Amino acid sequence: MFDDFLDLEGSGGDNIVHVWPVPYQGTVSFDTGTKDGPEALFKASYQIEPYDPELDADISDYCSFKTLPFQRPVVSGPGQLQQEMDFFLEKFDPCRDFILTLGGEHSIAFPLIRFYSRAYPDLTVLQVDAHADLRSDFQGSPYSHACVMSRVRDLGLKTASLGIRSMDRDQAQIIKNSPCRIMAMHPWNLPSPAQAAEAVKDFIGSGPVYLTFDADGLDPSIMPGTGTPEPGGLEYTWINDFWKHFWPGPRLVGMDFCELAPRPGSVLSESVGVKCILRVLLSYFRTI
Ligand SMILES: [Mn+2]
């Protein structure tokens, strides 16, 4: 077992963040290595300053981190993994418990989204990703990482996506045909972070939000450690500015950070990942 995320050594604010490592990589399409994501993120977190000089705020004033047991990997596929995740989540209260899930591949997000959607039927899922993930099924499973946003749509939830730049024609058509239910911001027509934050808030309305943050939404120059890199991704300063403008804003009920596949000999990807997570948490929890 590791020290708690960021290793704040007992100091910490009133908001409990449960950190759940789910090192699952059963259905990744290309490269592998997302099973090593949670451990790499934990280790990188011990090197990251909890103070954010731009926001002049320290995460330890707002949050305490508690580590949940590593989710045991299953070999039979994402369907069984999700059943086991559902079972584990039964001891948590979606109205009260904030869970930060560290993947693992993107399929790990769906049990969390379903968990929170039961308490919040008006939940919007905010997705940072290179891929639309709107396939109805992939490699024989409707629960594959490539289908996660289709399953979210099956729940009747609205989705807002940032950085989407890889999809097939069918998925592009789904996005075009659903302007009230799907908002997609592509890199080629990205507004300023402030304008984007306002537009997403308008789209969400008054309901809460769950964030699923796929590492490959970021540009591979700063996030090389991902199984399916796509050039032309979100810049570090853009996404961090986005969060700064997004809150005060919707209630954030929980989040995941997934698809990180650490590269041997470099800690760049996991360090960027931890800093992106911290900026989200700090931007939100300092405003509530
Ligand atoms: Mn992706």
Side-chain angles (χ1 to χ4, degrees):
M1 183 49 83
F2 298 104
D3 290 330
D4 285 331
F5 199 63
L6 293 173
D7 193 19
L8 298 176
E9 293 179 344
S11 71
D14 293 338
N15 301 292
I16 308 289
V17 175
H18 299 277
V19 185
W20 190 15
V22 184
Y24 178 72
Q25 65 171 36
T27 65
V28 282
S29 11
F30 192 41
D31 202 349
T32 56
T34 55
K35 71 177 181 346
D36 301 319
E39 181 176 343
L41 288 164
F42 265 87
K43 286 184 173 163
S45 80
Y46 307 145
Q47 310 299 325
I48 304 289
E49 288 285 357
Y51 174 72
D52 184 322
E54 185 188 353
L55 301 182
D56 188 22
D58 192 308
I59 195 74
S60 66
D61 291 334
Y62 301 98
C63 296
S64 296
F65 294 89
K66 298 214 181 314
T67 309
L68 300 175
F70 271 59
Q71 176 66 30
R72 188 173 63 90
V74 296
V75 291
S76 58
Q80 192 201 337
L81 172 85
Q82 295 187 4
Q83 279 181 10
E84 295 190 9
M85 291 178 73
D86 288 344
F87 181 70
F88 182 77
L89 286 169
E90 283 175 12
K91 51 183 116 147
F92 292 91
D93 177 356
C95 297
R96 204 190 57 218
D97 293 322
F98 189 102
I99 303 174
L100 161 62
T101 308
L102 304 179
E105 59 159 65
H106 210 155
S107 55
I108 60 103
F110 184 63
L112 278 301
I113 293 167
R114 191 165 47 191
F115 168 74
Y116 286 111
S117 73
R118 288 191 185 119
Y120 301 104
D122 57 348
L123 186 69
T124 297
V125 175
L126 181 51
Q127 173 198 21
V128 176
D129 206 327
H131 309 93
D133 291 344
L134 280 167
R135 292 176 194 276
S136 58
D137 64 271
F138 188 63
Q139 294 175 339
S141 174
Y143 296 107
S144 155
H145 64 100
C147 314
V148 61
M149 299 311 279
S150 273
R151 299 291 79 76
V152 171
R153 277 170 52 74
D154 292 346
L155 295 175
L157 305 181
K158 290 197 296 185
T159 63
S161 305
L162 305 176
I164 306 296
R165 57 196 183 278
S166 172
M167 69 201 80
D168 62 14
R169 194 183 296 267
D170 290 346
Q171 295 176 72
Q173 210 56 48
I174 293 171
I175 293 171
K176 284 199 188 94
N177 291 343
S178 317
C180 300
R181 306 301 293 172
I182 303 179
M183 167 186 251
M185 289 197 180
H186 307 291
W188 53 87
N189 61 7
L190 213 55
S192 74
Q195 289 170 323
E198 287 313 309
V200 173
K201 283 196 270 192
D202 283 348
F203 175 78
I204 290 172
S206 58
V209 70
Y210 175 89
L211 171 63
T212 183
F213 196 139
D214 183 324
D216 65 34
L218 300 169
D219 192 76
S221 60
I222 54 163
M223 181 53 73
T226 179
T228 45
E230 295 283 346
L234 298 173
E235 298 295 337
Y236 183 71
T237 49
W238 191 95
I239 192 69
N240 282 347
D241 260 14
F242 176 86
W243 305 124
K244 195 171 75 178
H245 290 101
F246 191 65
W247 288 294
R251 174 171 182 177
L252 181 67
V253 295
M255 71 174 284
D256 63 76
F257 189 89
C258 60
E259 296 283 350
L260 177 84
R263 300 286 101 169
S266 168
V267 294
L268 172 63
S269 300
E270 47 268 45
S271 302
V272 169
V274 172
K275 296 204 67 137
C276 285
I277 293 167
L278 275 190
R279 173 56 78 104
V280 171
L281 296 176
L282 197 47
S283 301
Y284 174 61
F285 282 109
R286 73 179 181 138
T287 62
I288 62 167

